[in-house]
Amino acid sequence: MSTAILTGPPAPGSSLDGDLRSLGFDVRTASDADEAGALLATVPAGERVALVDPRFVGHLHALRLTLTDPRFPAAAAPGALTAQSGARPALVRALTAARADGVADGTDDLTGTVADALDADGVAVHRPQLGTLVAAVPTDAEARHRARAAVAAVDDEAVRLRSAVKAHDGFFTTFFISPYSRYIARWCARRGLTPNQVTTASLLTALIAAGCAATGERGGYIAAGVLLLVSFVLDCTDGQLARYALKYSTMGAWLDATFDRAKEYAFYAGLALGAARDGDDVWALALGAMVLMTCRHVVDFSFNEANHDATANTSPTAALSDRLDSLGWTVWARRMIILPIGERWAMIAVLTAVTNPRIVFWALIIGCAFGACYTTAGRVLRSLTRKAKRTDRAAQALADLADSGPLAQYVAALPGGSPRTWAAPLLAAFGAVVLLTQAGGRQVGSLWVVLAAVMYVLASGVAVSQPLKGPLDWLVPPVFRAAEYGTILILAARSEVNGALPAAYGLVAAVAYHHYDTVYRIRGGTGAPPAWLVRVTGGHEGRTLLVTVLAALLADRGDDFTLALTALAVAVALVVLVESIRFWVSSGAPAVHDEGETA
């Protein structure tokens, strides 16, 4: 249990003691700052502790936002301050300094003084945006009366429900899901359900939907479309429940991030299986849709990481974007055309119910291709027109996203590095184009395809031989993804080997999981996966070369190519899943949620 220390006796008629207990705090009352320090010393070091001014007047949700959010080591609002175990030593120092300065009588703002001291001590104190919520420390009866009137004028439960909805979301989610899913989230919270349980329910529902689609029957397709929408409602509900109840967790962040991809990929596979039952082979389209969507996401991730902490950031195109957003309706139009997850799942669900898998996949491919072109073109223009100096952190993040294995690293270490500015994206693109054109234009078993893969390895190594700080160097990771995934797709499709495309689908899904996992580790501030994992899985260039060699050796030997791709997919999946689960369960990585992303 957490402990709240009131720095003096509560005012007559105050509900503060009961409010704190309802939030899960064991409440102790001190007579002054000296006794507050003594009580603080008795609280176990691993527990959260809060200091609360007894004069506090405000909404319960204001206290909840300030004192119970698990994402921040310390947080403060007028009259209230909290610190988790990592910030406890600094809290003790700050309170000791306040007592030495004589901040002890009832007219002093002890919590504010201590919060400022924590900031000065290097502890980042989170101060939540309360909006219309009230958090005040009135110093006289008249001020207390005004504060209580302000509290009565605002329904904090309504504010809590509104704030449970993600601030920036897609049109479909905002207007067709969130108006009622927030109430489902509240229902779940009042029954003690956790966001992770709702996330798991969303995954199971999507898997059942995929199973219905795999039947290949019209009734199954209709059920699949309905269940996919139910799964998406639950997918929105889990995040809203986390925000409503402030139940953020490392495990929840990981599950929410990875289950979205698992649900979508499983549904694609279900559609492909259903089409096969009707005699229509759409595995190539399913894999193409997966490749397009993943590459588009990598563009988003790479661009954001490259400019995460860029300095002197100016761009006329960014200013134009801000002006367009100020018009109102353009915000929704621009969010819809990139086919974010809400619009995408709605389109998939409706088309699955009323058409067939081939039409579903073509609609996906066209929509994803348009969205990818739109977002990539806009980011290229911003990169060419902005004046920004990219940092070492950004360069390291791009290098981690590149997923360069031992072969590329060996080439990069050779003497005579590449010139800067434009070399990296051009070299990466050159290697990718040569490889993809050879894979698509030559016989699958041709030695030229293997030689093209060797050239791709060389170009990839040279591309990352210098820090990725050029204006367009963020394009390097998505180019590598397109080259690897595209090569696997082309060789599996052109081999005409029975089962090669489903095996290739599984391989790309396993590799894509590894790449998404890398993204979420970087966003969590924990760095890339360990170097041994990249070495064991071969890096993008090693896997690509291996697939071309396997195709050259096995494509004309019956099902051997399919078996090789399947074995490679299983091996990659086992290694990356075991390491990923170990990391997210045991590392104590911070909980990072996609509050501002619609993809």
Side-chain angles (χ1 to χ4, degrees), residues 181-567:
S181 61
R182 70 184 74 180
Y183 295 100
I184 301 175
R186 181 171 67 180
W187 183 89
C188 293
R190 290 177 175 177
R191 281 151 185 82
L193 298 177
T194 67
N196 291 353
Q197 291 171 331
V198 178
T199 302
T200 303
S202 175
L203 173 66
L204 294 175
T205 305
L207 293 179
I208 296 172
C212 292
T215 63
E217 299 177 356
R218 177 53 51 197
Y221 289 145
I222 293 173
V226 172
L227 287 173
L228 189 64
L229 287 177
V230 172
S231 174
F232 183 64
V233 171
L234 293 174
D235 184 56
C236 295
T237 300
D238 64 0
Q240 292 166 356
L241 174 58
R243 287 181 285 272
Y244 181 85
L246 297 182
K247 289 184 176 180
Y248 300 101
S249 68
T250 298
M251 178 66 76
W254 173 62
L255 292 178
D256 186 58
T258 56
F259 278 12
D260 279 350
R261 306 284 79 80
K263 289 180 286 189
E264 197 161 6
Y265 295 166
F267 196 80
Y268 292 177
L271 286 174
L273 289 170
R277 287 179 176 271
D278 292 333
D280 189 12
D281 187 353
V282 296
W283 277 107
L285 295 178
L287 183 49
M290 181 201 293
V291 170
L292 269 173
M293 181 52 57
T294 305
C295 289
R296 200 208 83 185
H297 283 158
V298 176
V299 168
D300 297 341
F301 296 141
S302 294
F303 180 81
N304 291 336
E305 288 301 326
N307 297 281
H308 176 76
D309 49 5
T311 56
N313 181 11
T314 59
S315 169
T317 53
L320 175 61
S321 177
D322 292 339
R323 287 197 296 272
L324 288 175
D325 285 348
S326 67
L327 297 178
W329 65 269
T330 61
V331 176
W332 300 115
R334 294 170 69 208
R335 290 183 189 176
M336 291 174 66
I337 62 177
I338 65 172
L339 206 63
I341 189 169
E343 279 74 0
R344 192 163 70 250
W345 281 30
M347 182 185 74
I348 294 171
V350 172
L351 291 180
T352 296
V354 301
T355 64
N356 60 65
R358 182 170 289 272
I359 293 176
V360 174
F361 284 126
W362 274 118
L364 264 175
I365 289 171
I366 293 170
C368 290
F370 180 81
C373 291
Y374 172 80
T375 55
T376 303
R379 290 184 167 114
V380 167
L381 286 175
R382 289 193 183 195
S383 300
L384 293 176
T385 57
R386 76 195 320 163
K387 303 297 182 181
K389 181 179 179 181
R390 292 187 170 87
T391 64
D392 292 337
R393 177 201 176 280
Q396 184 58 54
L398 292 179
D400 293 336
L401 289 173
D403 190 33
S404 299
L407 295 178
Q409 292 173 6
Y410 174 78
V411 173
L414 294 175
S418 64
R420 285 317 314 146
T421 306
W422 304 104
L426 289 178
L427 282 166
F430 170 76
V433 169
V434 169
L435 175 59
L436 293 174
T437 53
Q438 290 297 311
R442 302 278 183 175
Q443 290 185 352
V444 174
S446 172
L447 181 61
W448 287 106
V449 180
V450 177
L451 292 177
V454 172
M455 183 175 292
Y456 172 71
V457 171
L458 296 175
S460 300
V462 178
V464 297
S465 62
Q466 300 293 324
L468 297 175
K469 292 186 176 182
L472 294 178
D473 283 2
W474 57 269
L475 284 170
V476 170
V479 168
F480 287 163
R481 298 297 83 78
E484 180 181 4
Y485 301 163
T487 299
I488 297 172
L489 167 59
I490 291 171
L491 292 180
R494 299 189 69 243
S495 71
E496 298 183 355
V497 175
N498 184 41
L501 275 168
Y505 186 92
L507 175 58
V508 172
V511 174
Y513 175 87
H514 166 58
H515 291 144
Y516 278 109
D517 188 55
T518 301
V519 167
Y520 289 113
R521 292 194 196 211
I522 293 172
R523 285 176 52 192
T526 60
W532 70 261
L533 180 64
V534 178
R535 289 195 299 269
V536 168
T537 55
H540 70 94
E541 80 293 347
R543 290 187 299 269
T544 304
L545 178 60
L546 176 60
V547 171
T548 62
V549 172
L550 291 174
L553 296 175
L554 306 175
D556 58 352
R557 295 178 53 182
D559 294 338
D560 287 357
F561 186 45
T562 297
L563 294 175
L565 289 178
T566 302

